[in-house]
Amino acid sequence: MMKNPFKRNTDIKTVSQQQINRRNFISFTAFAGFSAIAYGGWRWLNSLPVETSGTTAGANKLLRRALDKNELVLRNAFSNNHLVQTYPKSMAAKVVRVNSNIGMTDTSFDSKTWQLVVNRKNGTQLKLGLDDIRKLPKTAIVFDFKCVEGWDQISHWGGVKFSDFIAHYNLQEEAAMQYVGMATPDGKYYVGMEMASIMHPQTLLAYEVNDQLLPDKHGHPLRLIVPVKYGIKNLKRIGSISFSDERLPDFWAKRGYDYYSGL
Ligand SMILES: Nc1nc2c(c(=O)[nH]1)N[C@H]1C(S)=C(S)[C@@H](COP(=O)(O)O)O[C@H]1N2
Ligand SMILES: [Mo]
C-alpha cells in the first residue's frame, strides 16, 4: 500500500487525565510565580524613593525613574557636599589639552567689549566686565578634568567661586531656582544643569589657567569650571547665564548625551 504522506499519525500516545491535570497544575504554578515576580518588581519600582525635586519633575514617573536612576543616585551622593579630589599645583599639566570650540568661531567676537550677561529672575539683566569679576575673591583648583571622549588631565584653574559670585551680586533668588543655563555669546554652545552642581563649592567662573589669563582656546575671557561634571558641561567663553525652575537646554543632551553628565 502507498504511504499517504498527508495522513496523520494515528498512533497517538494516550495521555491520561491525571497527566493532563499535572501539566496544567505545573503551568499554572509557573504562570502564577512569574506574575508574582512581575508584580513585585512593579511594586518595587513604584516604591523607590521619591527623587529630589527638579531634575525630572513632571516626567512619566516609572519611565523617568528608570532612565534617571543613575542621576538620582549621583544626586543623592551629592547632597553630602562631596568634593572631587584635588592635587598639588606641581601635578597640573603645563600644556593643557584643547578639545572643541563650538560657539567660539564668531570672527566678530571682541573680548575687549565682551560682557557677561546675567538674566535675573525679575527680567532685568546684570552686565559685567572681566574687571568686575576679577575684583571678587579668587579661588583656584587643581583637579582631574575628564572628557567623555576618553581623556583626562590634571589641570589648574583660577577664578571666582560661583557661589561667591551669587552672594556678591545678590542673586539668592536666582540661586533658589532649580536649573542654570549658560551659553556662548553667539548662542551656538550651551549647557544646562541643576543648581546643586553650579553652587557646588568647587565650581568656578574661571578666567585663569596655570596662573595666566585664559587663552582664547580655553575660553577667554570667562569659562565654567564645574569639576563634578564631565568636560562637556565646562562651557568656554560664557556670554550669558540664566536661571529657571525648568530644565534649561543643553547642546550635548540634545544630541543624546546624558543631561546630568556627572562624575
Ligand atoms: N564653547 C565651548 N565650550 C566647550 C566646548 C565647546 O566645543 N565649545 N567643548 C567642551 C568639551 S567637550 C570639553 S572636554 C571642554 C574642553 O576644554 P578645554 O578645551 O579647555 O580642554 O570644553 C567644553 N566646553
Ligand atoms: Mo569633552
Side-chain angles (χ1 to χ4, degrees), residues 11 14 51-53 62 91 109 122 135 151 165 167 171 190 196 205 210 214 218 225 234-235 239 241 243 263:
D11 183 23
T14 325
E51 66 172 71
T52 318
S53 72
L62 199 59
M91 285 180 72
F109 176 77
N122 65 12
K135 278 184 200 135
W151 57 265
F165 172 82
L171 297 165
Y190 45 92
L205 289 175
N210 287 332
L214 289 178
H218 289 302
I225 287 294
N234 290 246
L235 185 118
I241 305 181
F243 303 87
L263 296 178

Side-chain angles (χ1 to χ4, degrees), residues 224-245:
L224 181 63
I225 287 294
V226 49
V228 295
K229 299 285 192 192
Y230 278 101
I232 49 177
K233 297 283 186 185
N234 290 246
L235 185 118
K236 298 190 277 191
R237 196 190 278 180
I238 306 172
S240 65
I241 305 181
S242 306
F243 303 87
S244 172
D245 281 322

Side-chain angles (χ1 to χ4, degrees), residues 99 147-148 231-232:
N99 209 47
C147 172
V148 288
I232 49 177

Side-chain angles (χ1 to χ4, degrees), residues 97-102 104 145 147 151 157 184 189 217-218 223 231-232 234-236:
R97 267 186 94 134
V98 178
N99 209 47
S100 50
N101 65 347
I102 306 162
M104 298 164 69
F145 188 107
C147 172
W151 57 265
W157 308 89
T184 52
Y189 194 80
K217 61 190 176 191
H218 289 302
R223 78 171 299 166
I232 49 177
N234 290 246
L235 185 118
K236 298 190 277 191

Side-chain angles (χ1 to χ4, degrees), residues 115-261:
Q115 284 190 306
L116 174 68
V117 177
V118 181
N119 294 302
R120 285 210 201 83
K121 194 179 177 181
N122 65 12
T124 63
Q125 290 189 324
L126 179 66
K127 292 187 176 177
L128 304 168
L130 188 56
D131 291 345
D132 300 318
I133 292 158
R134 291 181 70 189
K135 278 184 200 135
L136 303 181
K138 188 159 116 186
T139 302
I141 186 167
V142 181
F143 77 107
D144 194 9
F145 188 107
K146 297 186 174 90
C147 172
V148 288
E149 284 170 34
W151 57 265
D152 68 285
Q153 186 179 54
I154 295 173
S155 49
H156 169 208
W157 308 89
V160 58
K161 250 192 219 187
F162 197 85
S163 57
D164 287 348
F165 172 82
I166 290 286
H168 185 267
Y169 285 103
N170 286 312
L171 297 165
Q172 291 83 0
E173 263 188 56
E174 285 72 13
M177 298 176 93
Q178 299 285 336
Y179 292 95
V180 175
M182 296 193 190
T184 52
D186 67 3
K188 290 197 173 137
Y189 194 80
Y190 45 92
V191 296
M193 73 197 82
E194 70 297 337
M195 192 62 68
S197 295
I198 210 81
M199 290 298 282
H200 185 275
Q202 292 173 307
T203 300
L204 305 181
L205 289 175
Y207 46 81
E208 288 182 0
V209 61
N210 287 332
D211 290 318
Q212 304 292 312
L213 278 186
L214 289 178
D216 282 337
K217 61 190 176 191
H218 289 302
H220 182 77
L222 193 68
R223 78 171 299 166
L224 181 63
I225 287 294
V226 49
V228 295
K229 299 285 192 192
Y230 278 101
I232 49 177
K233 297 283 186 185
N234 290 246
L235 185 118
K236 298 190 277 191
R237 196 190 278 180
I238 306 172
S240 65
I241 305 181
S242 306
F243 303 87
S244 172
D245 281 322
E246 316 267 300
R247 251 186 198 196
L248 287 168
D250 183 272
F251 183 90
W252 285 113
K254 238 177 209 172
R255 287 155 180 82
Y257 281 79
D258 174 32
Y259 185 85
Y260 190 70
S261 286

